[in-house]
Amino acid sequence: MTESAPIGDGSRSAGGSPAPIGDGTRAVRAGLPEPVKHEPTLPGPVFAAHFHLPGDPTGGYAYARDENPTWTHLERAIGELEAPGADDAETLAFASGMAAISGVLFSQLRAGDVVVLPDDGYQVLPLVKEQLVAYGIEVRTAPTGGDAQLDVLDGAKLLWIETPSNPGLDVCDVRRLADAAHARGALVAVDNTLATPLGQRPLELGADFSVASATKMLTGHGDLLLGYVTCGNAELTASLRRWRKIVGAIPGPMEAWLAHRSLATLQLRADRQNANALALAEALRTRTVVADLRYPGLPDDPSHKIASQQMRRFGCVVSFTLPTRARADRFLDSLRLVDDATSFGGVRSTAERRRRWGGDAVPEGFIRFSAGAEDTDDLVADVLRALDESAVVVD
């Protein structure tokens, strides 16, 4: 296999102690192979279904459903972001975020097991619940806020945490929940999509799995579907790899290469998008028409205390509610710098009325807003102007 040059926790300073490595440096260098004269610093995607394989099939690359050199670089890169310095942690890439989520759930759970899910998480989770129940798995649910999942943990095989929750942006205490789950013999998986590894590192907070849709902010350009799982236990990783092989939930090499290329700007994008989200939230709190404003980075947000203890960045998503569906639709139509689109985390700001999908328990006027990388003043001005214009009903 192609060797990468891991970044680790830092190079040695003149005094011999480890020099700190910043998020930007780590993102730019993560997963790159050892330098070879006249070779590219980031090799292009490897398009191959099979590889030369004389003799016994031991070591290296054999068949592309199992491994691909382009995946290897990406998986090592994500691993260096999710669990820097953890030699026992390994990342597996999947075809989408839902493939990664399904991989953890269906590789670890059997008929008769109990799983605890958030009841305010990603809108596809109710469909997942139906499938789990059909397989004879008991599903319990509780809200993210207030660490409410603690109350339904007894007897569970797996606890699934989504923090911050999507789209409500509630936050739970990952370490507290992980300690309680492990004390009861349960595994812990954290959906880290909204935070990204630059926002929080679930494995360092005690989780067994960090799961995410790399479609969102990790890659940030809205041009690919991808998911991943980072795990610090070799046995659990092996079971997950086996599930990926059986189901064939593998990423394409082009998607993997695009994702790795995009990681280099993750810190730059995250800092601008987080700053834009905070500025937008601060501006929205001055408008009386805006209700139920949520952003974990606001000091008076209900989740801020816990979020500030376990998160290094608070994310790019802001949520709020306008009085009616019609007002929300007029607001979205009035935006000039913001696309009315689903998903989040892209360099171009997006917003949508989430109730249109029918899967989230939110009011008709609920808006999920994903701050992009536009100039802060331009973005805030566009949103405030759209709020003003949407107040006027045109016959």
Side-chain angles (χ1 to χ4, degrees):
M1 295 184 185
T2 306
E3 292 297 323
S4 342
I7 295 174
D9 282 330
S11 58
R12 292 282 168 180
S13 64
S17 59
I21 292 293
D23 286 340
T25 302
R26 194 180 301 281
V28 167
R29 304 294 306 177
L32 296 181
E34 292 284 359
V36 176
K37 189 175 183 179
H38 305 308
E39 292 295 321
T41 55
L42 177 62
V46 175
F47 298 104
H50 57 265
F51 301 82
H52 288 295
L53 192 64
D56 293 332
T58 56
Y61 298 97
Y63 188 61
R65 188 182 63 242
D66 299 315
E67 289 184 288
N68 174 290
T70 310
W71 303 354
T72 300
H73 295 313
L74 173 64
E75 290 172 339
R76 289 174 176 167
I78 294 174
E80 288 173 14
L81 298 178
E82 281 279 354
D87 295 335
D88 55 349
E90 189 172 359
T91 297
L92 297 181
F94 287 81
S96 68
M98 278 309 304
I101 290 171
S102 299
V104 172
L105 292 171
F106 294 110
S107 69
Q108 303 307 312
L109 297 171
R110 304 287 184 272
D113 287 341
V114 176
V115 61
V116 176
L117 302 178
D119 65 10
D120 55 350
Y122 181 46
Q123 67 160 350
V124 182
L125 287 182
L127 297 179
V128 173
K129 177 182 177 181
E130 290 180 11
Q131 194 62 53
L132 290 167
V133 170
Y135 288 158
I137 298 164
E138 180 184 343
V139 179
R140 302 173 188 164
T141 61
T144 298
D147 299 341
Q149 289 172 298
L150 284 172
D151 296 333
V152 291
L153 266 180
D154 286 349
K157 173 71 178 298
L158 175 67
L159 167 64
W160 189 274
I161 297 170
E162 186 178 299
T163 182
S165 62
N166 174 22
L169 302 182
D170 271 325
V171 171
C172 60
D173 187 332
V174 175
R175 189 174 297 282
R176 181 188 183 203
L177 284 166
D179 287 348
H182 289 154
R184 293 164 170 81
L187 297 170
V188 179
V190 175
D191 187 328
N192 204 33
T193 301
L194 201 148
T196 82
L198 297 195
Q200 68 187 5
R201 295 175 182 150
L203 268 59
E204 293 181 357
L205 296 170
D208 301 289
F209 303 96
S210 181
V211 190
S213 167
T215 305
K216 311 296 194 297
M217 192 169 178
L218 193 84
T219 56
H221 292 82
D223 55 6
L224 59 89
L225 291 176
L226 200 75
Y228 70 86
V229 181
T230 302
C231 179
N233 179 287
E235 184 177 346
L236 294 176
T237 301
S239 65
L240 190 59
R241 187 187 300 277
R242 179 176 181 272
W243 188 92
R244 182 179 69 171
K245 177 182 176 116
I246 292 170
V247 179
I250 59 173
M254 190 66 193
E255 286 82 359
W257 183 85
L258 285 169
H260 197 172
R261 178 211 60 177
S262 298
L263 284 183
T265 60
L266 175 58
Q267 183 260 341
L268 299 172
R269 291 184 281 106
D271 283 351
R272 170 59 74 85
Q273 290 175 248
N274 278 243
N276 280 353
L278 179 59
L280 179 64
E282 290 173 338
L284 289 171
R285 70 196 304 188
T286 67
R287 297 302 181 98
T288 56
V289 72
V290 172
D292 302 324
L293 174 66
R294 296 299 304 272
Y295 181 65
L298 287 173
D300 59 351
D301 186 272
S303 294
H304 181 73
K305 182 178 179 180
I306 297 174
S308 63
Q309 293 170 356
Q310 64 189 24
M311 299 181 72
R312 295 177 298 130
R313 292 174 175 84
F314 298 109
C316 65
V317 177
V318 177
S319 69
F320 57 95
T321 301
L322 296 179
T324 64
R325 171 178 176 170
R327 179 67 185 271
D329 286 338
R330 292 199 303 272
F331 166 71
L332 294 170
D333 288 342
S334 298
L335 292 166
R336 297 171 184 166
L337 299 180
V338 182
D339 296 328
D340 188 343
T342 194
S343 197
F344 58 86
V347 291
R348 289 173 289 278
S349 292
T350 59
E352 68 170 336
R353 194 178 62 81
R354 283 299 291 176
R355 188 65 181 271
R356 66 181 178 174
W357 296 99
D360 295 308
V362 294
E364 289 285 359
F366 180 94
I367 301 292
R368 185 181 70 181
F369 194 106
S370 173
E374 298 87 359
D375 286 330
T376 304
D377 290 345
D378 293 340
L379 181 61
V380 171
D382 187 49
V383 171
L384 296 183
R385 179 198 50 76
L387 275 178
D388 292 339
E389 289 186 2
S390 64
V392 179
V393 180
V394 180
D395 293 329

